[in-house]
Amino acid sequence: MAQFGFENDIHSILKLDMPITNAPMARWQRKVSSSNTLALNGLSPGKSANVSQSSSKTPSKTPGKNKKPTPSRIGGDRFIPVRNSKQMDVASFLLSKENEPMDMNNTENQKAWSICLNGYNIEDAKILHLGGKPLNAPEGYQNNLKVLYSQATTPASVKKTRYISSTPDRILDAPELRNDFYLNLLDWSSQNVLAVALLNSVYLWDATQGDIVLLMKMEREEDYICSLAWTKEGSYLAVGTSDCKVQLLHLTQRHIATLCICLAQHGISLPSGSRSGQIHHHDVRVADHHICTLTGHSQEVCGLRWSPDGRYLASGGNDNLVHVWPRVQEGGAGSQSVHCWNEHQGAVKALAWCSWQPNILASGGGTSDRRIRIWNVNSGSCISSLDTQSQISSMVFAPNYKELVSGHGYAHNNVVIWKYPSLTKVVELNGHEDRVLNLTLSPDCSTVATVAGDETIRLWKSFEVDPVKKKAKERLVKSTNSVIHQSIR
Amino acid sequence: FMKMTCTAKGITLKGSAELVAEFFSFGINSILYQRGIYPPETFTRVTHYDMSLQLTTDPKLKNYLTNVVSQLKEWLFECTVQKLVLVITCLETNEVLERWQFDIECDKSAKESSAPREKSIKTIQDEIRSVIRQVTATVTFLPLLETPCAFDLLVYTDKDLVVPEKWEESGPQIINQSEEVRLRSFTTSIHKVNSMVAYKRIDSV
């Protein structure tokens, strides 16, 4: 037992939170004992402590109030609070207790809190920094590590150029094809039928079935077909012949008109360009079909194209001019061209309207010009021009990859695909052994057909769409179509 | 720079202070470069510790670092410095995003006159190199600093130290909810430097 007692003594000495026996009394202990003595002195707890103090230190009564008693005692008009019921000594004890120094346990606690909250003990160290604001990089600097790490897809893979076969998908024979730059002998209908004029016959090649049909043959040996064009729906084929007639064919139906070497159709109005430089508008619905004549070209009209929205008719002539005509109004004779551009230095046969930007027209010049020019029909300005180094015989916009295709005669006799609008060369399609006369796009826009003086028609499958993308696009088109229909109603 | 340390075989207090100060100079430059606080084109490549290091050429930053490091060297010599902390804050919100803490343990028994300690500079520099290598390697796990950032250097000193002119007292700039990674340490046998990086936990951002 004795050694336990000793151990307890050691503990009590080492434990700093125990009261130290021989030390002077702590203030709170003194306070408690003094208040105890006060209590023992006969003051009831109800009696306030400062009353007892006032008896010894401060005068109990103010001098002025010596003679008269306070009115409260006789029920006067003032309220004098009665302090007797307040436990003033308890309150004073509680107040003074707060000023007592913390015991050791508490300081330990505080230190731990300080380290935990501040990461260091405020008592042990101070934190200094060089005055002024924290430094930062010059304004406008963006952390370039972001570029390094947060790129999800590299732009290179997105813009990856597709594979374009350098050989044609198919070659069709076109015997006795008339090798004449001014003729338009090839057109592909929306019903996927390719029409080609071979000397005095028109042949139809059904691209879906692969069947070949002889549609018509001119009776006289010396006559030949100058031009042919499908209507938008692909149900009628207009054929211009050297005997100054335009025939509108629907199997056996025929209309007869004047001499024509190029044709273009949109809706009811069938314009025909002539050797004389005049463009005749025909209303294909009625027997008295001739609506009006547009006079602007001084030489033969070799290129004629409706804009996709049908607002304008573009014509190119052997006089190096490009005219843009407004749509013919009912009975509007002698209408004037909206634009007349004379920048080309050669015959303008190649004309193409942009299918996704209806105000954009591309025109290509002949051997002495060799330039592609892109026009804004709304403003009438030439947006860009490019020297192709070759006679341009025909052009078409390919919407699948937003490209422009041009067919060339002298010197290269090839087909070139250009990126629109940058006009950078995507690919050259070589293979024709003579000048390319015409080219036309298939209805699904995946294939371009070219006919050349080497009596072949070549089909180039250059614009095939990734099937996944195609599906997404079709869905998009469907949804936008429905929106348009709704808004029209 | 290395003259004083090289005259003796071992390392003196002065030499140790210089070595540690030099480490901080290169270390801070490395962090500012690696974390993209300053544009990379404002840094120039130097070879030190047998490795390629980036030093800033930005005149304002260069001046600031020279001031801090020369003062730090003095405190290292007096053994009155406890920590050096590089705090990276978001310029816009002033939120602390990253905190590089270097705890410095000074052997206060080392005096200017005392005999050099037996540790070759080569060994110390090898240790320093591995610390800086680790600093470079942290880029792989530290979260990307997506906003423009500012940085500040805090020096924890002894309580009784007289605050020099232009220096001010500061708060500790603790990160709210942080992830901590301890890096290697090195010692000159007089000064021991423990390195640590704390960064804001991503899920709490």
Side-chain angles (χ1 to χ4, degrees), chain A residues 182-186 226-228 261-263 302 305 349 438:
Chain A
Y182 294 100
L183 305 186
N184 291 282
L185 304 175
L186 190 71
C226 306
S227 177
L228 50 80
I261 54 167
C262 56
L263 290 161
C302 43
R305 282 281 186 279
K349 184 194 175 195
N438 281 106

Side-chain angles (χ1 to χ4, degrees), chain A residues 6-25:
Chain A
F6 176 68
E7 225 169 73
N8 283 341
D9 284 347
I10 294 282
H11 268 298
S12 59
I13 289 163
L14 289 176
K15 252 194 172 169
L16 291 169
D17 57 348
M18 293 288 277
I20 303 157
T21 44
N22 55 351
M25 209 185 276

Side-chain angles (χ1 to χ4, degrees), chain A residues 119-145:
Chain A
Y120 78 112
N121 185 12
I122 301 170
E123 304 298 319
D124 291 348
K126 59 178 160 193
I127 307 171
L128 300 177
H129 77 132
L130 205 57
K133 273 188 179 174
L135 280 168
N136 61 278
E139 204 149 309
Y141 165 62
Q142 175 71 45
N143 189 344
N144 63 343
L145 295 175

